[in-house]
Amino acid sequence: MTRVVADISVSLDGFVAGPNVGLRNGMGDGGMQLHAWAFSDDPDERRLLQRGTDRSGAVIMGRTLFDVVDGPEGWSDEVGYGAEEVGRPPFFVVTRSAPASVRLAELDWTFVTTGLADAIGAARESAEAVSATHGKDVDVVLMGGGELVGSAVNGGLVDELVLHLAPVLLGSGTPLFRDPVPRTLVQRDVVVTSNATHLTYDVR
């Protein structure tokens, strides 16, 4: 069964990016430390990254994150979705308006201007079609940014929350949750690796 999974790296003090985020500083000051696990040679971290990439039948991101990954310092043929485990699922971008042009035109982009719920609906249809074609379940993955993931959890749109908790205190930046809605999380899995603690929750 296709699930909606929010998957994001976060600091111990709750930030998903450092201060001063920009097109040439996509993770903000110090924010790349959050993703050290995704670029390491640790075999457990490589396995987790590969598993996350393999399960991604469709991926959702917000417009700010899209502008970063499609920007001049963004994704390349070597480093794209899934860090060095470059994946090419269809991507759905939640935005007020589509961009005039796309640098990464070889990827499958859909720009959804009618809101997050509609983007999740379209991504679910796409992921379910992939599941039917390949005979295995794949999921809809919300990769960020923080506002999009936080809004999706608050709105009850997420089935599973995966946090890669990095041993970093950023002090300020983009928080994962602003004014969170009370929700019960059921812990399903905890994996400790050299660069992060990986937490998986069912969201009730």
Side-chain angles (χ1 to χ4, degrees):
M1 182 181 77
T2 295
R3 291 165 62 83
V4 178
V5 179
D7 187 314
I8 196 164
S9 297
V10 62
S11 68
L12 283 173
D13 50 350
F15 296 101
V16 298
N20 302 314
V21 169
L23 288 182
R24 296 183 180 273
N25 190 28
M27 291 305 303
D29 297 343
M32 280 305 297
Q33 298 175 86
L34 303 179
H35 297 274
W37 72 273
F39 292 94
S40 87
D41 294 325
D42 182 308
D44 291 328
E45 291 174 338
R46 301 310 302 172
R47 177 180 55 81
L48 287 169
L49 187 65
Q50 184 67 63
R51 185 173 72 184
T53 303
D54 288 346
R55 78 184 297 187
S56 300
V59 175
I60 298 175
M61 69 180 73
R63 178 58 185 268
T64 299
L65 181 56
F66 167 79
D67 286 342
V68 169
V69 303
D70 195 56
E73 304 297 325
W75 287 352
S76 66
D77 288 340
E78 292 75 34
V79 178
Y81 180 68
E84 293 176 352
E85 301 288 344
V86 179
R88 291 175 177 260
F91 295 95
F92 294 79
V93 180
V94 182
T95 180
R96 290 188 176 88
S97 61
S101 62
V102 177
R103 178 179 66 87
L104 299 169
E106 73 279 6
L107 298 180
D108 181 358
W109 298 103
T110 298
F111 297 94
V112 181
T113 60
T114 52
L116 177 56
D118 285 347
I120 289 175
R124 185 189 293 276
E125 286 185 12
S126 180
E128 288 174 346
V130 172
S131 296
T133 300
H134 294 283
K136 68 171 187 176
D137 287 338
V138 292
D139 297 316
V140 173
V141 177
L142 279 65
M143 66 170 291
E147 184 176 348
L148 181 139
V149 169
S151 295
V153 173
N154 279 350
L157 301 173
V158 172
D159 301 310
E160 182 179 312
L161 176 63
V162 179
L163 300 179
H164 308 283
L165 187 62
V168 175
L169 297 172
L170 291 178
S172 64
T174 304
L176 176 55
F177 294 111
R178 301 177 190 268
D179 302 318
V181 172
R183 293 205 175 277
T184 299
L185 304 179
V186 179
Q187 187 168 286
R188 286 185 42 224
D189 193 30
V190 179
V191 178
V192 179
T193 61
S194 56
N195 291 289
T197 300
H198 310 270
L199 307 165
T200 302
Y201 301 96
D202 285 332
V203 183
R204 300 285 175 85

